[in-house]
Amino acid sequence: MSRIKILGWTDPARRVIFAPMRRPTPLFGPTPLSGPKPASGRTPKTLSNNGPPLDDDPRPWGSGGIGHHFEWEAARKKAFDAPYDIVMMRARRAEALGLTYEEYTLELIERGIYLSAEKDAARIAEIRRRRPMRY
């Protein structure tokens, strides 16, 4: 004759045949899922440790295909890669005109002219207008 034990069902030789699995209930305090709600008012998702998202970093070439991204990147590096003295000279001239180093160098590469405050005031104003809005 089988009889019931606290751990589960046993046969006459007192071997455990089946031990039912039960989730232990806490004796005191709230249960794990009925805790206080966070300040945002939303309950967290089940099985979430509130860690950062597991998405990869955005691709440097954007959401589309690669296209000629690496060729353009190499050309840009070659154009902006200059000896230290030349970089410092361009940076000083750009600062005196109120431009960034990139804006001044792009103007030099595209048009082949060194900007000056007296002769190229209209062009400098146009470059400043084309800047994205900064907050």
Side-chain angles (χ1 to χ4, degrees), residues 20-77:
M21 301 280 292
R22 284 193 325 231
R23 172 178 277 158
T25 57
L27 298 175
F28 304 103
T31 60
L33 296 179
S34 68
K37 290 186 178 182
S40 65
R42 299 183 333 167
T43 57
K45 292 182 180 178
T46 319
L47 302 176
S48 172
N49 64 356
N50 295 327
L54 299 177
D55 297 336
D56 292 334
D57 293 333
R59 299 176 185 154
W61 56 85
S63 60
I66 292 177
H68 298 287
H69 169 74
F70 295 104
E71 294 165 5
W72 278 104
E73 191 176 86
R76 180 178 172 85
K77 183 178 180 199

Side-chain angles (χ1 to χ4, degrees), residues 38-131:
S40 65
R42 299 183 333 167
T43 57
K45 292 182 180 178
T46 319
L47 302 176
S48 172
N49 64 356
N50 295 327
L54 299 177
D55 297 336
D56 292 334
D57 293 333
R59 299 176 185 154
W61 56 85
S63 60
I66 292 177
H68 298 287
H69 169 74
F70 295 104
E71 294 165 5
W72 278 104
E73 191 176 86
R76 180 178 172 85
K77 183 178 180 199
K78 184 178 177 185
F80 283 95
D81 195 21
Y84 178 77
D85 297 334
I86 294 175
V87 169
M88 293 307 296
M89 177 192 67
R90 289 179 185 170
R92 274 189 238 110
R93 287 182 178 177
E95 184 180 11
L97 296 173
L99 300 175
T100 64
Y101 174 77
E102 287 84 12
E103 291 169 343
Y104 184 81
T105 306
L106 279 176
E107 189 67 21
L108 178 62
I109 291 171
E110 288 177 355
R111 306 205 189 268
I113 59 170
Y114 290 94
L115 296 173
S116 66
E118 300 85 29
K119 292 190 271 181
D120 302 311
R123 181 70 187 140
I124 293 170
E126 183 183 341
I127 292 171
R128 287 182 186 165
R129 265 196 312 272
R130 284 190 292 148
R131 287 182 182 165

